[in-house]
Amino acid sequence: MTAAADVLDDLDHPVDAEIAACLDLAAPRSFFLFAGAGSGKTRSLVKALDHVRQLHGETLRFRGQRVGVITFTNAACDEINRRLEFDRTIEVSTIHSFAWTLIGGLNHDIREWLRTNLAAEIAELEALEAKGRSGTKASAERISKIASKSKRLANLNTVRRFIYSPTGDNRGRDALNHSEVIKISATFLQNKSTMQSILVGRYPILLIDESQDTNKLLIDALFAVQSSHRERFALGLLGDMMQRIYSDGKEGLGQDLPSDWATPRKRLNHRCPKRVIKLINKIRKVVDGQEQIPRTDSAEGWVRLFILPGDTVDKPAAERAVAQRMEQLTTDEGWRKTDTYKSLTLEHRMAAKRMGFLEMFVALHEVESFRTGLLDGSLPFVRFFAEQILPLVNAQRRNDRFAVARIVRTSSPLLSGDKLRTTEDQPMQLRHAREAIDGLMSLWQAGVEPTFGDVLRNVASSGLFAVPDALRPNADRDASLDGVEDVDGQEVDRQTKKAVAIDEFLAAPFFQIDPYAAYVSGKAHFDTHQGVKGLEFPRVMVIMDDDEARGFLFSYAKLFGGKQAGDTSVESTRRLFYVTCSRAERSLALVAYSTQPDLVRQFVLREQWFEPDEVVVGIPN
């Protein structure tokens, strides 16, 4: 047995054994597993599930029960299922899929919840409209929403069965949206003892990966279930608050846990070299004092901080110079090409600017309720452009008739199965579809670049695609309202802010949807902390530039002492800095643009984050 294996057994084996002891059907015990970056959290999760399969698999099958596992992405679901050989006693799902398994089919209860919720939302909108100014775009938006919600409320009794797709846009009067599914399931778990009994009876063990980013409403509801059924239900939370990314997670998760909960902690970092582990330990020391230990077979690794002038004109060229210096230092040719190292930013705006989708991004990022969906690519009205219109436009430009036909038959109401079955003249309907496609493509004639709004109005007019509800007011709105603004100085309510954001988004050039789609899918050279959640790369360049990012939530200059601290942006930035740095498997280059390079250098040396020879001031030659 090697020394590395000895360390692995000494530090990780007791943790895995403690988790296994919690997952006893006869005496279940809830736990929170602290698992820092690169700690092998997924490995421990799979090992725990293997233990349950071997020890309790037969009992679970006899009782018709399963172990529930909630993960963050569909890719993570697939990976865990693969490692477990698709064992049917383990049910792995995303949070939305899991929530729907709880409430799907409870049509009467869902209807009554919607009845109450819609009435409250309509009352709120009517109150805002009564206080607001008529004849404005905000007023038109509110009136449209009141009409839409009132229509939905009036039609509730005609809906026999509610439907939902965790990966779809969920259109139609019988469909629930993503937010509603989470809210309904959380409410039912909190308030209905029958729902709690159903959950416990179905899943005597429920494990939640990335629990720090799991919706706080559902986390609170599951804590309530565990408190009432602790003798026959184990809730296992796996995560690290230092790696919290999304704002809808629960604050302080892992603190003030019930006294009977276990709190195992993983100490090894299997991913990063020793030098990077030393850095990330320093970064998080003032937060919780947690430290990780490198494997005995870990490489030493490389870390360099490059402090560049804040007014650098050609920043991409400066970053290429940094990569060249890293190649010289590490003798690693992987730094030579941009496709063999990963550039990470602390703020999405930087990537949006560099990749060419800044206008559409800034418009929507300002609205908190849009933010998460924008960052992970799930915002329905943006997906409308990215997943329906963009593929059609690209296929038409390639003259790929088969792809065009497939997209239109799959997504267009003009050629839906119902439409073709009910029409008496199918050739005429096909011509209508062809004319609609030609009309859409005519927007690009003479080198003109249409806006999202131009594209929206075109497809809405032709009926080529079904317009998402969020964009319907913009497709239907009287164009005369476009020049009417709200009274200056009035407080902007939430509905108005959303309407303004959508207006600004629709004014952006449509071509920006292409680089945006590449970005959120992880196919671009640039990425951020959200995009690389759980991933790792041999070579990482972290780019920090407050002036370019302009993010009000983050400030690396405050974190590095270049500006006076005193707000929550410091801790937000510290978390993101930790996440990005901890992706590196071999070498890490940190690029900080600053107007006060000496202050930044003094701070990082005083905090002992870097050695003097690891800090480079100025663009490398």
Side-chain angles (χ1 to χ4, degrees):
M1 181 175 289
T2 65
D6 286 338
V7 172
L8 186 63
D9 285 340
D10 288 345
L11 293 181
D12 279 355
H13 182 71
V15 173
D16 293 334
E18 185 176 2
I19 296 172
C22 293
L23 306 182
D24 184 346
L25 294 182
R29 186 182 182 190
S30 296
F31 66 89
F32 181 93
L33 170 66
F34 165 76
S39 62
K41 174 168 53 65
T42 303
R43 175 184 173 276
S44 287
L45 174 60
V46 171
K47 192 171 183 178
L49 293 170
D50 270 329
H51 168 81
V52 174
R53 287 198 302 164
Q54 295 169 15
L55 198 63
H56 302 295
E58 186 175 341
T59 301
L60 289 169
R61 285 186 287 271
F62 177 77
R63 295 178 180 176
Q65 296 176 318
R66 294 183 178 184
V67 174
V69 181
I70 298 176
T71 65
F72 206 78
T73 64
N74 287 310
C77 291
D78 295 340
E79 174 63 16
I80 293 172
N81 275 320
R82 184 188 64 79
R83 293 197 196 186
L84 294 171
E85 301 173 325
F86 302 93
D87 192 316
R88 294 178 61 83
T89 60
I90 311 295
E91 185 172 311
V92 189
S93 59
T94 62
I95 182 175
H96 290 95
S97 296
F98 173 79
W100 181 240
T101 64
L102 296 179
I103 65 173
L106 302 178
N107 298 299
H108 171 75
D109 299 279
I110 293 172
R111 184 179 296 108
E112 295 311 305
W113 185 92
L114 286 171
R115 199 186 308 279
T116 301
N117 192 65
L118 285 167
E121 291 179 342
I122 292 169
E124 180 183 2
L125 286 166
E126 289 176 338
L128 291 171
E129 180 62 19
K131 292 189 299 182
R133 180 184 173 209
S134 61
T136 63
K137 289 189 288 186
S139 175
E141 173 79 5
R142 287 192 292 267
I143 291 172
S144 175
K145 287 181 177 291
I146 290 170
S148 175
K149 292 179 183 295
S150 297
K151 181 179 179 180
R152 189 182 184 194
L153 180 61
N155 288 332
L156 277 181
N157 288 334
T158 66
V159 178
R160 297 180 57 189
R161 182 175 67 92
F162 291 95
I163 63 172
Y164 171 71
S165 168
T167 58
D169 291 336
N170 298 298
R171 301 182 185 132
R173 64 180 185 177
D174 56 350
L176 301 175
N177 63 43
H178 302 302
S179 176
E180 287 171 341
V181 168
I182 295 296
K183 291 178 181 177
I184 293 170
S185 59
T187 301
F188 287 4
L189 282 173
Q190 285 274 19
N191 303 323
K192 295 179 181 290
S193 58
T194 302
M195 176 61 71
Q196 293 189 4
S197 297
I198 290 173
L199 170 64
V200 174
R202 186 182 299 172
Y203 308 108
I205 297 171
L206 179 62
L207 308 179
I208 304 180
D209 194 14
E210 304 287 4
S211 58
Q212 76 276 357
D213 279 319
T214 302
N215 184 277
K216 55 180 172 264
L217 296 177
L218 194 57
I219 287 289
D220 285 339
L222 291 171
F223 267 98
V225 174
Q226 190 277 333
S227 179
S228 298
H229 300 271
R230 64 184 67 215
E231 294 182 356
R232 60 192 188 99
F233 175 67
L235 177 62
L237 307 179
L238 299 86
D240 175 14
M241 288 302 291
M242 193 67 182
Q243 298 186 71
R244 182 185 171 201
I245 289 175
Y246 294 108
S247 60
D248 58 357
K250 182 175 175 61
E251 290 280 358
L253 184 64
Q255 301 175 6
D256 301 321
L257 292 169
S259 58
D260 59 342
W261 278 53
T263 54
R265 297 177 181 273
K266 292 178 69 67
R267 298 181 61 194
L268 272 176
N269 183 315
H270 300 272
R271 173 193 301 148
C272 302
K274 295 174 183 176
R275 183 61 190 90
V276 172
I277 294 173
K278 182 179 178 181
L279 173 62
I280 63 178
N281 282 343
K282 289 283 187 180
I283 293 169
R284 76 177 298 162
K285 182 178 180 180
V286 300
V287 177
D288 56 17
Q290 295 288 344
E291 289 191 347
Q292 291 183 301
I293 298 172
R295 293 171 56 108
T296 53
D297 59 352
S298 295
E300 184 62 32
W302 296 82
V303 168
R304 287 293 186 274
L305 171 63
F306 297 85
I307 309 174
L308 308 187
D311 58 358
T312 299
V313 176
D314 191 345
K315 291 177 179 177
E319 289 149 23
R320 287 193 296 272
V322 167
Q324 291 172 0
R325 174 62 65 86
M326 289 300 295
E327 180 188 357
Q328 295 168 2
L329 288 170
T330 63
T331 64
D332 181 356
E333 293 183 357
W335 280 103
R336 187 170 298 176
K337 297 181 179 179
T338 57
D339 60 355
T340 51
Y341 67 88
K342 196 71 170 178
S343 291
L344 305 181
T345 66
L346 298 191
E347 232 278 359
H348 292 273
R349 192 184 191 278
M350 291 175 59
K353 180 178 180 179
R354 290 164 185 245
M355 292 184 62
F357 59 93
L358 181 63
E359 288 82 3
M360 66 161 285
F361 177 83
V362 169
L364 301 178
H365 192 258
E366 294 302 308
V367 180
E368 184 173 359
S369 60
F370 289 165
R371 196 170 294 149
T372 297
L374 176 67
L375 300 183
D376 66 15
S378 65
L379 194 60
F381 63 85
V382 177
R383 288 179 59 192
F384 169 68
F385 292 101
E387 298 180 6
Q388 296 188 51
I389 298 177
L390 178 62
L392 177 62
V393 170
N394 287 341
Q396 185 67 21
R397 285 172 169 168
R398 297 192 308 268
N399 197 29
D400 188 340
R401 292 178 296 172
F402 295 103
V404 169
R406 183 180 66 253
I407 293 167
V408 176
R409 288 185 180 276
T410 301
S411 304
S412 174
L414 295 179
L415 296 184
S416 67
D418 289 342
K419 187 70 175 179
L420 293 178
R421 281 191 295 271
T422 57
T423 187
E424 295 181 359
D425 191 345
Q426 289 193 5
M428 177 64 74
Q429 195 62 31
L430 291 171
R431 283 195 294 274
H432 286 167
R434 181 71 259 173
E435 291 169 357
I437 295 171
D438 291 341
L440 172 63
M441 299 307 298
S442 70
L443 295 176
W444 283 268
Q445 286 181 352
V448 175
E449 185 61 47
T451 65
F452 286 99
D454 295 332
V455 173
L456 171 66
R457 288 183 286 272
N458 182 282
V459 298
S461 175
S462 68
L464 181 59
F465 292 107
V467 174
D469 290 341
L471 298 179
R472 178 56 64 184
N474 301 81
D476 297 341
R477 190 173 63 209
D478 187 340
S480 64
L481 291 175
D482 287 345
V484 182
E485 301 294 340
D486 292 328
V487 177
D488 291 339
Q490 285 189 345
E491 182 179 355
V492 179
D493 60 65
R494 287 182 295 144
Q495 301 300 331
T496 302
K497 192 170 183 180
K498 288 183 179 180
V500 170
I502 291 177
D503 281 345
E504 292 176 352
F505 162 69
L506 292 175
F510 176 79
F511 73 79
Q512 295 188 2
I513 196 66
D514 202 353
Y516 164 80
Y519 179 63
V520 297
S521 67
K523 297 177 181 178
H525 170 61
F526 282 98
D527 217 325
T528 62
H529 52 286
Q530 283 97 340
V532 296
K533 192 181 184 76
L535 300 181
E536 53 199 30
F537 309 94
R539 308 155 205 91
V540 171
M541 180 184 293
V542 179
I543 304 170
M544 297 163 283
D545 187 345
D546 285 345
D547 289 337
E548 189 172 315
R550 299 181 189 176
F552 63 91
L553 294 177
F554 318 119
S555 174
Y556 98 87
K558 293 178 182 178
L559 173 65
F560 280 4
K563 292 183 179 179
Q564 186 175 358
D567 56 45
T568 56
S569 66
V570 173
E571 295 314 310
S572 298
T573 309
R574 187 185 299 273
R575 290 199 305 270
L576 308 186
F577 190 48
Y578 175 87
V579 169
T580 49
C581 289
S582 62
R583 301 305 100 190
E585 296 176 295
R586 298 182 195 170
S587 53
L588 172 66
L590 304 166
V591 179
Y593 291 97
S594 177
T595 57
Q596 298 176 297
D598 289 337
L599 286 179
V600 174
R601 184 177 188 277
Q602 291 170 16
F603 174 82
V604 298
L605 294 179
R606 184 172 64 250
E607 295 295 311
Q608 298 181 350
W609 288 9
F610 303 93
E611 298 297 329
D613 64 345
E614 293 178 327
V615 181
V616 180
V617 178
I619 300 173
N621 295 323

Short mmCIF file of all heavy atoms in Angstrom, two decimals, residues 61-83:
data_model
loop_
_atom_site.label_atom_id
_atom_site.label_comp_id
_atom_site.label_asym_id
_atom_site.label_seq_id
_atom_site.Cartn_x
_atom_site.Cartn_y
_atom_site.Cartn_z
N ARG A 61 -36.45 -2.91 -1.60
CA ARG A 61 -37.28 -3.48 -2.67
C ARG A 61 -38.54 -4.13 -2.10
O ARG A 61 -39.62 -4.00 -2.68
CB ARG A 61 -36.46 -4.48 -3.49
CG ARG A 61 -35.45 -3.84 -4.43
CD ARG A 61 -34.77 -4.87 -5.32
NE ARG A 61 -33.80 -5.66 -4.56
CZ ARG A 61 -32.54 -5.32 -4.41
NH1 ARG A 61 -32.07 -4.21 -4.93
NH2 ARG A 61 -31.71 -6.11 -3.73
N PHE A 62 -38.39 -4.81 -0.99
CA PHE A 62 -39.55 -5.47 -0.37
C PHE A 62 -40.60 -4.43 0.06
O PHE A 62 -41.81 -4.66 -0.09
CB PHE A 62 -39.09 -6.29 0.84
CG PHE A 62 -40.22 -6.95 1.59
CD1 PHE A 62 -40.83 -8.09 1.08
CD2 PHE A 62 -40.68 -6.42 2.79
CE1 PHE A 62 -41.88 -8.70 1.76
CE2 PHE A 62 -41.73 -7.02 3.47
CZ PHE A 62 -42.32 -8.16 2.96
N ARG A 63 -40.15 -3.31 0.58
CA ARG A 63 -41.07 -2.27 1.05
C ARG A 63 -41.54 -1.34 -0.07
O ARG A 63 -42.41 -0.50 0.15
CB ARG A 63 -40.39 -1.41 2.12
CG ARG A 63 -40.03 -2.16 3.40
CD ARG A 63 -39.31 -1.20 4.35
NE ARG A 63 -38.94 -1.83 5.61
CZ ARG A 63 -38.24 -1.21 6.57
NH1 ARG A 63 -37.84 0.04 6.39
NH2 ARG A 63 -37.94 -1.85 7.68
N GLY A 64 -40.97 -1.48 -1.24
CA GLY A 64 -41.32 -0.57 -2.32
C GLY A 64 -40.78 0.83 -2.10
O GLY A 64 -41.37 1.82 -2.54
N GLN A 65 -39.62 0.93 -1.42
CA GLN A 65 -39.02 2.23 -1.11
C GLN A 65 -37.74 2.44 -1.92
O GLN A 65 -37.20 1.50 -2.51
CB GLN A 65 -38.69 2.31 0.39
CG GLN A 65 -39.90 2.26 1.29
CD GLN A 65 -39.50 2.26 2.77
OE1 GLN A 65 -38.55 1.58 3.18
NE2 GLN A 65 -40.21 3.04 3.57
N ARG A 66 -37.27 3.70 -1.91
CA ARG A 66 -36.02 4.05 -2.58
C ARG A 66 -35.24 5.05 -1.75
O ARG A 66 -35.82 5.73 -0.89
CB ARG A 66 -36.30 4.67 -3.96
CG ARG A 66 -36.92 3.70 -4.96
CD ARG A 66 -37.08 4.38 -6.30
NE ARG A 66 -37.62 3.47 -7.30
CZ ARG A 66 -37.79 3.77 -8.58
NH1 ARG A 66 -37.44 4.97 -9.03
NH2 ARG A 66 -38.28 2.89 -9.43
N VAL A 67 -33.97 5.14 -2.01
CA VAL A 67 -33.16 6.22 -1.47
C VAL A 67 -33.24 7.37 -2.47
O VAL A 67 -32.96 7.19 -3.66
CB VAL A 67 -31.70 5.78 -1.28
CG1 VAL A 67 -30.84 6.98 -0.84
CG2 VAL A 67 -31.61 4.67 -0.25
N GLY A 68 -33.64 8.54 -1.99
CA GLY A 68 -33.73 9.70 -2.87
C GLY A 68 -32.44 10.49 -2.86
O GLY A 68 -31.82 10.68 -1.81
N VAL A 69 -32.02 10.95 -4.03
CA VAL A 69 -30.82 11.78 -4.16
C VAL A 69 -31.17 12.98 -5.03
O VAL A 69 -31.64 12.81 -6.16
CB VAL A 69 -29.64 11.01 -4.79
CG1 VAL A 69 -28.41 11.90 -4.88
CG2 VAL A 69 -29.33 9.75 -4.00
N ILE A 70 -30.97 14.17 -4.50
CA ILE A 70 -31.20 15.40 -5.26
C ILE A 70 -29.85 15.98 -5.65
O ILE A 70 -29.00 16.23 -4.80
CB ILE A 70 -31.99 16.43 -4.43
CG1 ILE A 70 -33.37 15.87 -4.06
CG2 ILE A 70 -32.15 17.73 -5.21
CD1 ILE A 70 -34.17 16.80 -3.15
N THR A 71 -29.64 16.18 -6.95
CA THR A 71 -28.39 16.77 -7.44
C THR A 71 -28.71 18.07 -8.16
O THR A 71 -29.88 18.41 -8.38
CB THR A 71 -27.66 15.82 -8.39
OG1 THR A 71 -28.45 15.63 -9.57
CG2 THR A 71 -27.41 14.49 -7.73
N PHE A 72 -27.67 18.79 -8.56
CA PHE A 72 -27.86 20.14 -9.09
C PHE A 72 -28.20 20.15 -10.58
O PHE A 72 -28.94 21.01 -11.04
CB PHE A 72 -26.62 20.98 -8.83
CG PHE A 72 -26.91 22.45 -8.74
CD1 PHE A 72 -27.45 23.00 -7.59
CD2 PHE A 72 -26.65 23.28 -9.81
CE1 PHE A 72 -27.73 24.35 -7.51
CE2 PHE A 72 -26.94 24.63 -9.74
CZ PHE A 72 -27.47 25.17 -8.59
N THR A 73 -27.65 19.23 -11.34
CA THR A 73 -27.84 19.25 -12.79
C THR A 73 -28.21 17.87 -13.30
O THR A 73 -27.99 16.86 -12.64
CB THR A 73 -26.54 19.70 -13.50
OG1 THR A 73 -25.51 18.73 -13.24
CG2 THR A 73 -26.08 21.06 -13.00
N ASN A 74 -28.75 17.85 -14.52
CA ASN A 74 -29.05 16.57 -15.16
C ASN A 74 -27.78 15.79 -15.44
O ASN A 74 -27.77 14.55 -15.37
CB ASN A 74 -29.81 16.81 -16.48
CG ASN A 74 -31.24 17.26 -16.24
OD1 ASN A 74 -31.97 16.64 -15.47
ND2 ASN A 74 -31.65 18.33 -16.88
N ALA A 75 -26.67 16.50 -15.74
CA ALA A 75 -25.41 15.82 -15.99
C ALA A 75 -24.95 15.09 -14.73
O ALA A 75 -24.43 13.97 -14.80
CB ALA A 75 -24.35 16.82 -16.44
N ALA A 76 -25.13 15.72 -13.57
CA ALA A 76 -24.75 15.08 -12.31
C ALA A 76 -25.62 13.86 -12.04
O ALA A 76 -25.14 12.82 -11.56
CB ALA A 76 -24.85 16.08 -11.16
N CYS A 77 -26.90 13.95 -12.36
CA CYS A 77 -27.79 12.79 -12.23
C CYS A 77 -27.28 11.62 -13.07
O CYS A 77 -27.22 10.49 -12.59
CB CYS A 77 -29.21 13.16 -12.68
SG CYS A 77 -30.09 14.30 -11.61
N ASP A 78 -26.95 11.92 -14.31
CA ASP A 78 -26.49 10.87 -15.21
C ASP A 78 -25.21 10.22 -14.70
O ASP A 78 -25.05 8.99 -14.78
CB ASP A 78 -26.27 11.44 -16.61
CG ASP A 78 -27.56 11.92 -17.27
OD1 ASP A 78 -28.64 11.49 -16.83
OD2 ASP A 78 -27.47 12.74 -18.21
N GLU A 79 -24.29 11.04 -14.18
CA GLU A 79 -23.02 10.52 -13.70
C GLU A 79 -23.22 9.60 -12.49
O GLU A 79 -22.63 8.51 -12.41
CB GLU A 79 -22.08 11.67 -13.35
CG GLU A 79 -20.76 11.25 -12.70
CD GLU A 79 -19.89 10.39 -13.62
OE1 GLU A 79 -20.14 10.36 -14.84
OE2 GLU A 79 -18.96 9.75 -13.09
N ILE A 80 -24.04 10.02 -11.55
CA ILE A 80 -24.27 9.19 -10.36
C ILE A 80 -24.99 7.90 -10.73
O ILE A 80 -24.65 6.82 -10.26
CB ILE A 80 -25.06 9.99 -9.30
CG1 ILE A 80 -24.21 11.14 -8.78
CG2 ILE A 80 -25.49 9.08 -8.14
CD1 ILE A 80 -24.95 12.10 -7.87
N ASN A 81 -25.99 8.00 -11.59
CA ASN A 81 -26.70 6.80 -12.04
C ASN A 81 -25.75 5.82 -12.73
O ASN A 81 -25.84 4.61 -12.53
CB ASN A 81 -27.84 7.18 -12.98
CG ASN A 81 -29.11 7.54 -12.24
OD1 ASN A 81 -29.46 6.90 -11.24
ND2 ASN A 81 -29.82 8.55 -12.72
N ARG A 82 -24.84 6.37 -13.53
CA ARG A 82 -23.88 5.51 -14.23
C ARG A 82 -23.00 4.78 -13.22
O ARG A 82 -22.77 3.57 -13.34
CB ARG A 82 -23.03 6.34 -15.18
CG ARG A 82 -22.07 5.52 -16.03
CD ARG A 82 -21.12 6.42 -16.81
NE ARG A 82 -20.26 7.19 -15.94
CZ ARG A 82 -19.17 6.70 -15.34
NH1 ARG A 82 -18.82 5.42 -15.51
NH2 ARG A 82 -18.43 7.48 -14.56
N ARG A 83 -22.50 5.51 -12.22
CA ARG A 83 -21.63 4.89 -11.24
C ARG A 83 -22.36 3.84 -10.41
O ARG A 83 -21.74 2.89 -9.91
CB ARG A 83 -21.05 5.96 -10.30
CG ARG A 83 -20.09 6.94 -10.97
CD ARG A 83 -19.27 7.65 -9.90
NE ARG A 83 -18.62 8.85 -10.42
CZ ARG A 83 -17.77 9.59 -9.71
NH1 ARG A 83 -17.48 9.23 -8.46
NH2 ARG A 83 -17.21 10.66 -10.22
#
